[in-house]
Amino acid sequence: MKRPTLLMMMLVPTLLTITAGLAGFGVYVDRVESRNRLADIDEELVRAAAAGEARRRPTDTQEPPAAVDPAPEQVAQTGEDSVAPPVEITLASDGTILRATGTDNPFTSRELGVLATQDGQITADDGQFRVLVTTSPDGNKSVTALPLDGFNAAVSEFRRALLAGGLVVIVLEALVVWLVARAVSRPVVRMAGTATRVADGELDTTIGTPSGSRETALLSADLDRMLTRLRSTLEASEWSAAEARAARDQMERFLADVSHEFRTPLTALYGYSDLHAKGMLDDEAIERAMQRIGSESARLNALVNDMMQLARKGSASAEPEVFDLADIVVDVVDDLRSAHPDRAIECRISSGIESRLVGVPGQVHQAILNLGANACGHSDDEILVELTADLTHLAISIVDHGPGIDEADRERIFRPFVRLDASRRRSGNAGAGLGLALTNQIAAAHRGGIHVDQTPGGGATITLRLPRAALATAPTLDAP
């Protein structure tokens, strides 16, 4: 069922109320006007009856007048509603006409019989005459009647004028009510349209400048405030959802970092055990392998401790210490050779350099090992791990002769989960893209930096630079 509009709901009841009020007022005015006109006719009846009685009363010196009709000029004029002369009839108690003057008798014998039993002003049954009945001393009834033709015509004319005036008033009132209702409903209709657009998802919709009555202006302001709060709530909800997604991504990244941290020393352990199982290690190499296994096991234990500390405090940190970077480079090369026995890996350390610095040796080892593993994974040619120094920094360069890294990608590769196209992937076991990102974090934690250059003849050279100056505080890796 179709619901009425606000305009119709305001217009129809108002028009019905006005029409009912005008109808009641018209009935009241009609009745008052009819009573007033009948009162005037009744006064004329009284005067006409008195004049007739005076004509019929004999004087002391004169004979009783003959029963003749009065002359027209002697008949009392009864005003605009009764221009005809009155009818005067004397009736016996049984309704017999004893005397009649004026016009012809307009009453039937039944009506005369009824009149003979009445007294006072009455209206004839046919509604055409107003009658005054008086009783004479001899018991006869004097009937004086005036026609109601003028009265009925005047009443009909008055009612037509009243009806026409009422219709005009109703039309004017309908127009005024329609204009007022439209002016009142226009802001409401506009706000309803705005609410519909908001319900359809257009949350940027505004109510606009409040207009109309004070109530609609208040409603408009409240709706605008409600929309603002709704948008703020939705933005907060979206922000919460974004935070939840970020937390999930952070957890996934953390798990990937953990797996990457564990995979590198485990790879070295697997490499040494595999070499020993194949009988490829002599006594000296076995001793060296056992040392490296112990070292990697200790590093695994340190990683576990760091992650436990990370779970408790939110960040993994270690106390800085003085260590020899050259020893770290040699250990990394040994690890790479054990993990990639088919790869030619050269270690070159500039002679005479002071390679000691302050930092966390486990983190630095991890950073250099990540760079070397990245080079081994993308190049089949010889790889060079070189340690050089200047007045302020120590530099570890990993040089490969693979496909190289485009200049546009040289900063992007240090972002988490970034992996370049297949041209730099030697095998299908590509990592999650976290090794270089972790290396970059370690370099930043040690106040150093990493940059990528093109290797002469093709390939990529990645250099990790660490400052010689002692660290003021322990280097801390950001929690993933």
Side-chain angles (χ1 to χ4, degrees), residues 435-469:
L436 295 181
L438 291 174
T439 302
N440 191 43
Q441 285 190 5
I442 294 172
H446 286 76
R447 300 180 184 176
I450 304 177
H451 66 273
V452 181
D453 296 314
Q454 184 176 0
T455 302
T461 299
I462 302 179
T463 302
L464 169 64
R465 289 175 55 83
L466 298 175
R468 292 178 179 272

Side-chain angles (χ1 to χ4, degrees), residues 336-346 372-373 375-383 426-427:
L336 291 174
R337 287 171 178 170
S338 65
H340 304 277
D342 57 339
R343 193 86 69 256
I345 302 175
E346 180 183 357
C376 291
H378 296 96
S379 175
D380 293 327
D381 298 327
E382 180 182 6
I383 294 173
R426 196 189 63 83
S427 66

